[in-house]
Amino acid sequence: MTFKDWFPKDKNDWFNQGDQERDRTEPPRLKLPISKPMLILLGILAVATLIVQASAGFLTDLYWFQARNLSSVLWTRLLPQWGLLAVAFVAAFLALFASLKLARKKAGEIPLPEEIARILPVRAPFAGVLILLASLVLAFMSSNGVRHQWEIALKFLNGTSFGSVDPIFGKDIGFYVFSLPFYKLFQVWLMQLLFLCLVGSAVIYILTLLPKFQMERRIDVPRPIKAHVLALASAMALNWSFGFWLERFNLLYSPRGVAFGASYTDIHADLLALNIMTVLSIVVAVLLIIGISKKTWRYSAVVVGVLFVSGIVLRGIYPEIIQKYIVVPNEFSKETPYIEHNIKATIEAYGLDKLTILNVDPDDQVTESDVEADPEALVNIRLWEHEPLLKNYKQLQEIRSYYDFLNADIDRYFIDGRYRQVMLAPRELNLRELQNPTWTNTKLEFTHGYGVVMNPVNEVGPSGQPILWVKDLPPVASVPMDITNPQIYYGEAPENYVFVKTTVQEFDYPMGESNVRTTYDGKGGVPIGSIWRRLLYALSFNDSKILFSDVFTSESRVMYHKNVRERLHKVAPFLVYDGDPYLAVVKGRLLWIQDCYTVTGDYPYSEPVVISTGKGRAKINYIRNSVKATVDAYDGTMKFYVMDEKDPLLTTWRKIFPALFTDGSSMDPQLRQHIRYPKGLFSIQSEIYRTYHMGDPNTFYNKEDVWETLRVDDRGSMDSYYLIMTLAGESKSEFVIISPFMPVGKNNMIAWLAGRSDGDNYGKLVVYRFPKQKLIYGPTQVAALVDQTPEISSQLSLWSQRGSDVIRGNMLVIPIGGSLLYVQPLYLRAERGELPELKRVIVSTGGKVAWAEDFGTALASVIGGSPTAIDIEQVQQPQTQDRPSLDDKGLSELATRAQRAWDSSQEALKNGDWESYGRWMKDLEETILQMNRIAE
């Protein structure tokens, strides 16, 4: 290699040489393994996936509503939300964009040096884009919160007159319930919008005028800018005045006075202050407008100052002076008309204005003639309480660990022509107790509970357990009761979605070595056969197994929203649901009955209470049980029956959702036999009535006759309970709920309230008022008499010393004929046992107390008759249900019987005969108890 080889042969190589050296030093460029079209396609797929993921929840909701034929309900809820958002957004955007654009235009007319004007953001070429973006963002912020107020807007557009007016302003109650909330919403939204317009425009003007101020050390605000700012300020002042005007109506919810609602001070001080401030705000608005052409801003500032001072003096100091020096020394005379307003409004709002009051002077004690005249009440006295009964259900009838009895409901049926009160509990599925909780087990196989257990409220077996009219798997009934679909897919159990009509057969119920299986044959659930729907539900439930499992067919369905209350709330969130849905057997089907309430907290002058809504707690002062909803336990079919067509709140909701509600007149007569006065409503009415039975303002003011309801305590007292009884003046027994009342601080009974449930009397309230000058024993006084009875107290002590747990049932007060009967069951649970047995029944009347192993004997003892004479032994004496009799025998013979029962039970267990197994095990238990009694 020579020296000249170091130089390029061509001069252009001087330039190419650098490129060649650079090529040798730079790393090779990365080549994508896919083409650009493929990359674009992947991007589109990614965006589509995000859209599907975001819309999966909405689409699965839509499919659910469509499957229930309620898609119109969903759209009626969704479209107003987006409509409100659109209207508020467009209005806010137009106002903001116009204001900001005008501000930019007027700011651009201000003369500034070129070097300063060039760097100002408001005069930059992109300022228009910034204003557009700012308007969009601020408009969305202003309108997004309005979207969730769709209920307020729809009620405003469909409001119904209540037919009564408030006593202060003379406006229909519907104005306060339907219109006023919307006006408040609009006023707050408009104030927020005007504030954003004012602040946004002011920022533009300040950014423009600030450099000029720095140069000239003074500001001369051009008239167009002043006009813009003062116009916005004037609009805010007018809206402020509108707010003061609306606040006048809030006085009707004032808690200041003796009673809830506007008091003397509210009307004569606060109302005056609000009227003055309304006028002053209008004056401010007018002066601000005048200030555009004239220099009246100083007057405006003075008026604004007066406005603030008025707020402090007239709304703070002046009312306190009126209250302290005028009202307090003359409180009753000043507050009397407002107490009357409160009493009248509260009684009407809680449906207590049409109750029937009966003044009753009860006889000293129940007699044999009273018993003979009202046999239905006696054969339906409830001896089984929820907790002991549930423990018996769980021990005797759960059968498997994955079953559970969540609650026992009380109802009534006609059995062999007799009106009987019963307790009933569904056997629901408890997936938490599955030994192998795999996806297949929890989603495909164990999909439903099975059957119910039912017992009469008053019958007791020899061993102290309930007599079961419906029991076992599959259900076996000893009374005329046919259950065609015992499977329970929808109930009170926690939510769990399942799949039916798949290639995997569902577990139906246990039977011997091989369980009985089934395939769902109903219309419940939502179709999920297509791959598209499986994808959506996999995304919505966050469960990929739905997409990749091969068990689905074109007929497969998914069941979700299975909890009764949650299911109904999904459809009608504007209703409040009672905390105790109950199950009824209607024409062979299991139907859940749910009491639904229409409520509001906007009824003027009505005393508020706090209730639990299932989603939290809310303060209300108006309630009606206007709707009864049903849910089919097999297919989930929902119906909302209208029970009170006069309720203005429900009338409004029916206008909004015409396809949702069904006339109560179309309710099946057999279903109507099972509706009842709801305990939730009755408890609220009892709480109100204990004070508001005092209709006289003077009595109410002094609180001299306040009552109190019973509370659950260690002696077994309770607040309200269902029973079958014959009301005074009626010819037949009926199903009612009653609540005794005692004077505050006293234990004697002064009255009780009854809610009726049967036939045309459904929903009516009756009050029994007892004479104040006569002692009527209250439940706690009777409980004290029980404790003072030597035979009872000594036996209770003996049981406790032996380690047994004595459980006192509720002390029931039962009107029989012209007197009162007190009944309390006693349960005994062994120290290590889980099975409470009904050991004794305590009966009291006329200050006498007796107890026995059954109700009939105790009643005969306390009134001086005999079970045969009373003619109630058929239903009150222990029942044996064709089991071997347990007469007193020697221990050896009983031991032989125990061995035979044990051998027979084991044989039945091997054969999978669960009915025989349960019968022989009960016989064994009874024999052992008999041996213990003989040994004692």
Side-chain angles (χ1 to χ4, degrees), residues 265-310:
T265 301
D266 293 312
I267 299 303
H268 292 84
D270 281 280
L271 183 59
L272 173 65
L274 289 170
N275 288 332
I276 292 175
M277 295 174 75
T278 299
V279 174
L280 288 177
S281 299
I282 296 175
V283 172
V284 170
V286 172
L287 290 176
L288 289 172
I289 293 297
I290 296 175
I292 295 174
S293 57
K294 298 181 180 179
K295 294 184 178 181
T296 60
W297 65 268
R298 293 184 178 87
Y299 300 108
S300 302
V302 170
V303 176
V304 169
V306 171
L307 184 63
F308 279 103
V309 172
S310 299

Side-chain angles (χ1 to χ4, degrees), residues 544-560:
S544 61
K545 297 182 183 66
I546 299 175
L547 185 61
F548 297 108
S549 178
D550 59 357
V551 301
F552 297 101
T553 68
S554 59
E555 299 296 321
S556 297
R557 304 176 80 86
V558 57
M559 292 181 175
Y560 53 109

Side-chain angles (χ1 to χ4, degrees), residues 593-604:
I593 302 176
Q594 173 71 68
D595 288 292
C596 313
Y597 307 123
T598 53
V599 302
T600 182
D602 298 322
Y603 200 101

Side-chain angles (χ1 to χ4, degrees), residues 536-548:
L536 289 177
Y537 281 101
L539 293 172
S540 181
F541 295 158
N542 194 26
D543 187 350
S544 61
K545 297 182 183 66
I546 299 175
L547 185 61
F548 297 108

Side-chain angles (χ1 to χ4, degrees), residues 430-443 446:
N430 183 5
L431 294 177
R432 291 173 295 184
E433 296 299 327
L434 275 179
Q435 299 300 312
N436 187 25
T438 64
W439 189 83
T440 299
N441 281 342
T442 58
K443 304 301 180 186
F446 291 86

Side-chain angles (χ1 to χ4, degrees), residues 741-757:
F741 292 104
M742 283 75 58
V744 170
K746 302 293 183 181
N747 292 324
N748 61 292
M749 191 159 55
I750 191 67
W752 55 261
L753 176 69
R756 307 174 72 175
S757 299

Side-chain angles (χ1 to χ4, degrees), residues 358-420:
L358 301 176
N359 293 310
V360 178
D361 186 0
D363 298 333
D364 292 335
Q365 71 173 52
V366 175
T367 63
E368 286 192 33
S369 59
D370 293 329
V371 171
E372 293 170 357
D374 198 0
E376 276 195 344
L378 292 173
V379 301
N380 287 291
I381 290 177
R382 179 155 61 95
L383 302 180
W384 286 104
E385 303 297 337
H386 287 81
E387 184 177 349
L389 184 64
L390 274 179
K391 289 185 181 296
N392 274 274
Y393 282 175
K394 290 175 181 290
Q395 292 295 315
L396 302 176
Q397 283 292 307
E398 276 187 355
I399 311 296
R400 291 289 189 271
S401 62
Y402 42 75
Y403 286 127
D404 196 7
F405 294 102
L406 300 177
N407 194 15
D409 298 309
I410 192 165
D411 203 352
R412 70 281 195 203
Y413 291 80
F414 282 96
I415 305 295
D416 293 328
R418 303 189 68 181
Y419 201 37
R420 298 303 301 274

